[in-house]
Amino acid sequence: MKLKRIQKIEEYILDNKTVTLDQLANIFNVSKNTIRRDVSELVEKGTIKKVYGGVSVNSNPLIPFDKRQIKNSHPKSLIAEKAAELINDGDIIFVDSGTTTVNLAYFLKDKKNITIITNNLNFINKCIKYDNINIISTGGSLVRNTNSFVGIDTLNLLKKYNINKAFMASTGISLTNGVTNGSPQEAEIKKLVISKSSLVYVLIDYSKFGTSSLMTYCSIGDIDYLITDKVPPEEYIEFINKNNVNLIIAQDDNCIYAQG
């Protein structure tokens, strides 16, 4: 019960950004001392930080892959399904590390002669059973918190290939800082991939709008297709239209093409 409670507390803080200890005690119906102990465990993980009277989301957390995968799992699946429709037989694509892009694997099983270059270990594992997919792993050093390969070996391999379409993940997107990521090593890979790709697709759920992480790896204007699960705020729509970005909204019943 304690483990489940701590997981729920973590999800609640990630959703609400900043909360007080009193709020947490009331919501989870436990004593304030219990909340303090639970919060201390989350602080040690690095996902949240203590602030005066409460806790807040760490502005630059390296949250383990499995924890990030739980959050907004349904929208991420919708986004991946819609992105897969834009992949054609014979494409050479890059699949980025991330909890949204990993969902692409399931929707590629009926494609023909697809070559995928990726540093996403989870994606590789999911695609092993599909013999229609040719997988090129970037290699490099494995970062266990993100289940991705990084390093100079990864960069050197990517320099050899031309990419039709790059499907990119992000920890945040904002008008000020563009498309961002929390890992400097991954940001370098993302920058290189974008420079080598004919078309760039960013897959990002609505919760990421208006947030920024440590490193900017591209501007919104560098994106060819932005795929998300809800219509972004009006200021983003204006910027997207001005910069000729194709916006796709993936939903349960249909797909809205807002521009492009």
Side-chain angles (χ1 to χ4, degrees):
M1 290 181 64
K2 177 185 175 183
L3 290 175
K4 288 183 179 180
R5 184 181 68 247
I6 290 177
Q7 180 181 333
K8 292 293 184 181
I9 290 171
E10 182 179 21
E11 292 174 0
Y12 184 84
I13 297 170
L14 290 174
D15 286 338
N16 291 274
K17 310 304 181 186
T18 300
V19 295
T20 68
L21 296 180
D22 287 334
Q23 285 177 312
L24 292 175
N26 289 332
I27 290 167
F28 293 96
N29 194 30
V30 293
S31 70
K32 202 167 179 179
N33 285 335
T34 298
I35 284 294
R36 286 195 183 97
R37 289 192 293 269
D38 291 347
V39 162
S40 293
E41 292 191 25
L42 293 174
V43 169
E44 287 182 10
K45 283 180 57 181
T47 57
I48 67 170
K49 61 183 178 181
K50 291 181 180 180
V51 296
Y52 182 76
V55 291
S56 178
V57 175
N58 192 334
S59 59
N60 184 32
L62 192 56
I63 303 172
F65 184 94
D66 58 343
K67 296 295 184 184
R68 291 183 288 118
Q69 195 170 26
I70 293 171
K71 192 174 186 218
N72 297 329
S73 58
H74 182 60
K76 290 174 181 178
S77 180
L78 291 176
I79 291 166
E81 182 178 14
K82 194 52 61 178
E85 293 178 6
L86 304 175
I87 298 172
N88 301 316
D89 294 343
D91 272 343
I92 301 170
I93 69 174
F94 178 83
V95 175
D96 194 16
S97 63
T99 56
T100 303
T101 49
V102 74
N103 288 286
L104 274 170
Y106 176 79
F107 302 106
L108 297 180
K109 59 184 179 181
D110 295 322
K111 303 290 182 180
K112 297 179 181 178
N113 195 28
I114 300 293
T115 296
I116 295 175
I117 306 166
T118 185
N119 65 330
N120 188 328
L121 178 60
N122 289 71
F123 186 87
I124 294 171
N125 288 333
K126 287 179 179 291
C127 285
I128 286 174
K129 58 188 174 183
Y130 302 136
D131 56 12
N132 60 311
I133 299 176
N134 177 36
I135 302 171
I136 300 175
S137 171
T138 62
S141 299
L142 177 65
V143 179
R144 286 181 170 81
N145 269 342
T146 58
N147 285 350
S148 62
F149 295 106
V150 300
I152 190 66
D153 292 336
T154 302
L155 293 169
N156 286 337
L157 182 136
L158 287 169
K159 290 174 182 176
K160 299 178 182 179
Y161 294 104
N162 297 315
I163 301 168
N164 297 140
K165 300 168 181 177
F167 293 84
M168 311 299 294
S170 173
T171 53
I173 184 169
S174 73
L175 296 179
T176 303
N177 294 320
V179 189
T180 58
N181 181 261
S183 166
Q185 288 179 303
E186 288 199 5
E188 288 304 309
I189 293 170
K190 294 171 188 285
K191 289 177 183 178
L192 177 58
V193 166
I194 286 172
S195 72
K196 298 283 292 181
S197 302
S198 300
L199 294 171
V200 175
Y201 301 73
V202 171
L203 283 56
I204 189 167
D205 66 79
Y206 183 81
S207 69
K208 307 290 179 60
F209 282 92
T211 66
S212 296
S213 196
L214 182 65
M215 303 286 293
T216 296
Y217 71 82
C218 75
S219 69
I220 296 176
D222 292 327
I223 301 170
D224 294 294
Y225 289 83
L226 178 61
I227 308 175
T228 186
D229 58 304
K230 294 180 183 178
V231 177
E234 183 59 35
E235 60 268 26
Y236 286 87
I237 298 291
E238 293 177 3
F239 190 91
I240 286 167
N241 289 337
K242 184 178 179 180
N243 288 273
N244 298 314
V245 177
N246 296 285
L247 175 64
I248 300 177
I249 313 299
Q251 298 179 329
D252 280 306
D253 298 324
N254 55 23
C255 175
I256 302 171
Y257 285 79
Q259 190 273 333

